[in-house]
Amino acid sequence: MTLDQQSVPPLAFLENSASMNQLEQDRAVFVGAKYQAYYQQQFDRITPKRQYAGFNIAAFFFGVIWLFYRKMYSYGFLAIGLIVMIGVIETLLDINGLGSTVGLSIAFGVFGNTLYKQHVDKQIAKIRQHVNADFTVELERRGGTSFVAGLIPFPLLIVFGLYLGWLS
């Protein structure tokens, strides 16, 4: 191998490096202002062998509200379904729900960043496949946060709470 060949990385590495740089830029646009300040470092910690990326305090304290605020609607509805299912079981078995509440909060805190990274990458891939117009505008539109969406869980949980007798 000549000196020239040693100093130049293989073409595949350069292409992969360029696509990773583009993915980072897409993530920054999709996530918004908190990407460089918080999420970039958390996302970099996640690997196929290591799915834990630090404890997300917002996800721990706000759980389902955080999921909707970050526009992870399918995860949010799944979480509400899980909460209701656990609540029904606890009500039927007359069990105090403090342990499950704390457990769910810890799970949100521990896996929130991993879940969010999966969501971000999946959404970016979908947008790349289906958007022919301005890609960056679509990333901004579908990404970011929504204060209004963060309010969605409240009426749902209140209705289920009333129905199951949690709020009576």
Side-chain angles (χ1 to χ4, degrees):
M1 187 178 282
T2 68
L3 187 58
D4 290 339
Q5 291 172 330
Q6 290 177 355
S7 64
V8 177
L11 183 59
F13 172 79
L14 291 174
E15 289 173 357
N16 189 31
S17 176
S19 65
M20 287 305 292
N21 188 33
Q22 184 60 53
L23 179 59
E24 285 295 316
Q25 291 173 6
D26 294 346
R27 285 176 179 163
V29 172
F30 187 89
V31 172
K34 289 267 186 174
Y35 184 72
Q36 289 181 341
Y38 177 76
Y39 285 106
Q40 184 175 20
Q41 182 181 9
Q42 302 304 314
F43 287 3
D44 287 346
R45 292 180 180 174
I46 300 169
T47 65
K49 290 185 179 181
R50 185 171 185 258
Q51 290 295 308
Y52 175 71
F55 196 81
N56 188 312
I57 298 293
F60 172 76
F61 282 112
F62 298 106
V64 176
I65 295 165
W66 175 79
L67 291 171
F68 280 90
Y69 175 74
R70 283 275 157 200
K71 298 183 179 182
M72 294 189 282
Y73 306 121
S74 58
Y75 292 126
F77 285 116
L78 284 171
I80 288 173
L82 179 65
I83 290 167
V84 169
M85 185 179 71
I86 290 171
V88 168
I89 292 169
E90 289 171 342
T91 301
L92 291 174
L93 298 177
D94 198 27
I95 298 173
N96 181 341
L98 182 61
S100 62
T101 302
V102 170
L104 283 172
S105 293
I106 291 170
F108 282 127
V110 170
F111 296 109
N113 291 327
T114 303
L115 208 57
Y116 190 45
K117 181 183 184 229
Q118 290 173 353
H119 169 75
V120 168
D121 289 350
K122 183 189 270 187
Q123 292 301 313
I124 289 170
K126 281 182 182 179
I127 294 167
R128 281 205 175 284
Q129 286 180 337
H130 300 293
V131 173
N132 295 329
D134 192 357
F135 179 72
T136 304
V137 170
E138 194 62 20
L139 283 174
E140 289 172 348
R141 188 182 72 76
R142 292 193 197 178
T145 59
S146 172
F147 177 78
V148 173
L151 300 175
I152 290 172
F154 289 109
L156 294 174
L157 291 174
I158 288 171
V159 167
F160 287 125
L162 290 171
Y163 179 72
L164 294 173
W166 299 336
L167 303 174
S168 56

